[in-house]
Amino acid sequence: MKKIGVLTSGGDAPGMNAAIRAVVRVAIYNGLEVVGIKRGYQGLIEGDVINMDVSSVGDIIHRGGTKLRSARSLEFKTEKGFNRAINVLKTFKIDGLVVIGGDGSFRGAAKLCENGIPTIGIPATIDNDLGYTDYTIGFFTALMTVVNAIGNVRDTSTAHGRTNIIEVMGRNCGDIALYAGLSGGAESIIIPEIDFDIDEISENIIRGKNRGKLSSIVLLAEGVGKPYELAEELELKTGTKTRVSVIGYLQRGGTPTPYDRVLASRFGAEAVNLLINGDAGKVVGIKGNKIISLNIKEALEIPREIDEDLYKLTQILAI
Ligand code: ADP
Ligand code: F6P
């Protein structure tokens, strides 16, 4: 292994820059050459490749987004596009690749491995929707943004005596809603993994009001959706004015939290070590604060399960 490449792919996540920095510096420390591939798999197809040295990753650890930019590439999924990507890797004499992204990016990485390219995946997505790892890069930063938003909404909600629905991202995973809901003291949390009962939520709001609560926050995961319909129904059932905030892309940007920077640095180092040791075809992750790695395909088959105990706790705390 003489030269490795690194790219970021799919939805960007705060902390991706810290991961790029770790990959580049740990590789150089170990005597490897490093190139960066811009705009994920699309940039790979187009040969958008740049040399990376120690200073190329300076001044980025604290920045959200990704210095290498990102993309969702339909072309990479076609045979023609995929073959072009393989040719570019050969042309630039890239012996190994680090892919920083979510499950879609990992599926692409698995295909590259099958075609003889030693590849390692680093999990980075705000959704925290990968089953094999406790946490993904970006999740805790997104949580921080959402929790700050809950605080702001709570101020105005209390001033007016309203219910506020806050919709957060996460695709089909309810982790952002669950963890942010718990941290922000939400009265109700609605996630795709657990059925909800509108009457129970309404009763909870009315009970709170009767004991002097001035506001209620309902955290809604985008995987359940329909926030405006829910607001109408809740308003009808509770007699309380109900407003909606969809946080959207605000929660994908911003300076990464220290935890995300540490996680990204540890993942980046492990990814390079695996490539150096000829142990490719894997994804790195974290389980109980221990850095782990496992076969990409096996990792992708592990379903993400919601922490039901944590959900139950949020219900108890919102009585
Ligand atoms: P994320 O990595 O954040 O989950 P996507 O699901 O959009 O984001 O995946 C990122 C990119 O990975 C896609 O645009 C595509 O180029 C590539 N990709 C996704 N699924 C596959 C697949 N089954 N085979 C090959 N490449 C894939
Ligand atoms: O996967 C990250 C994510 O932000 C999801 O939470 C959201 O559903 C999706 O990406 C949005 O995708 P796009 O950036 O393509 O609009």
Side-chain angles (χ1 to χ4, degrees):
M1 185 84 32
K2 282 193 185 137
K3 192 197 236 184
I4 67 165
V6 56
L7 62 81
T8 49
S9 162
D12 60 296
M16 277 184 161
N17 277 324
I20 297 170
R21 173 177 176 270
V23 168
V24 170
R25 292 203 171 155
V26 172
I28 292 173
Y29 175 81
N30 284 284
L32 297 177
E33 254 183 88
V34 195
V35 292
I37 295 136
K38 300 190 88 176
R39 295 179 294 116
Y41 294 130
Q42 191 57 38
L44 182 58
I45 291 169
E46 293 169 21
D48 200 352
V49 177
I50 53 168
N51 289 325
M52 305 291 279
D53 60 16
V54 173
S55 49
S56 67
V57 289
D59 202 22
I60 64 170
I61 195 167
H62 58 297
R63 296 185 197 280
T66 157
K67 182 169 177 128
L68 290 174
R69 306 192 51 220
S70 192
R72 301 195 197 270
S73 170
L74 284 179
E75 204 181 338
F76 184 72
K77 286 173 132 181
T78 66
E79 203 185 323
K80 200 169 156 209
F82 183 79
N83 290 337
R84 277 179 66 182
I86 295 273
N87 284 337
V88 169
L89 287 164
K90 287 186 179 147
T91 305
F92 283 88
K93 297 191 167 54
I94 297 169
D95 305 314
L97 185 66
V98 177
V99 170
I100 305 170
D103 65 328
S105 305
F106 285 1
R107 277 175 230 288
K111 222 171 138 194
L112 286 171
C113 282
E114 278 166 17
N115 285 271
I117 310 293
T119 307
I120 300 288
I122 294 181
T125 163
I126 63 165
D127 300 339
N128 206 36
D129 59 351
L130 289 160
Y132 77 93
T133 180
D134 288 344
Y135 301 117
T136 56
I137 297 169
F139 173 58
F140 281 101
T141 305
L143 283 184
M144 187 63 104
T145 307
V146 174
V147 170
N148 286 336
I150 294 174
N152 290 1
V153 170
R154 178 74 78 180
D155 289 344
T156 164
S157 195
T158 301
H160 286 266
R162 286 174 176 162
T163 295
N164 281 75
I165 295 171
I166 301 179
E167 188 192 279
V168 296
M169 282 183 166
R171 278 188 200 278
N172 299 317
C173 180
D175 271 21
I176 297 181
L178 177 59
Y179 282 70
L182 175 60
S183 322
E187 277 67 24
S188 298
I189 297 170
I190 306 178
I191 54 179
E193 295 89 342
I194 295 177
D195 290 338
F196 74 99
D197 178 346
I198 186 95
D199 290 325
E200 255 176 45
I201 295 173
S202 307
E203 280 160 26
N204 191 24
I205 292 170
I206 293 165
R207 202 170 47 244
K209 218 169 153 184
N210 290 343
R211 72 167 169 83
K213 249 190 198 191
L214 296 173
S215 65
S216 284
I217 302 281
V218 178
L219 247 270
L220 172 69
E222 69 173 353
V224 178
K226 301 197 174 117
Y228 295 95
E229 287 173 30
L230 184 66
E232 259 179 48
E233 228 176 314
L234 279 182
E235 193 162 303
L236 217 62
K237 286 184 187 276
T238 62
T240 308
K241 279 248 176 299
T242 306
R243 296 283 197 257
V244 172
S245 304
V246 178
I247 301 187
Y249 294 95
L250 280 176
Q251 72 206 284
R252 231 166 66 183
T255 187
T257 61
Y259 182 81
D260 274 332
R261 299 181 199 191
V262 171
L263 194 63
S265 303
R266 292 176 78 190
F267 283 170
E270 181 67 7
V272 173
N273 290 333
L274 287 167
L275 279 180
I276 290 172
N277 294 330
D279 205 4
K282 293 193 162 176
V283 286
V284 298
I286 188 159
K287 275 274 170 197
N289 204 28
K290 202 173 168 310
I291 299 297
I292 54 151
S293 62
L294 67 162
N295 176 278
I296 302 183
K297 282 202 157 164
E298 281 170 25
L300 283 170
E301 273 164 24
I302 300 174
R304 179 85 205 166
E305 274 163 21
I306 201 78
D307 185 338
E308 287 188 16
D309 291 339
L310 201 63
Y311 182 79
K312 182 80 200 143
L313 179 60
T314 64
Q315 287 184 313
I316 294 170
L317 296 178
I319 48 174

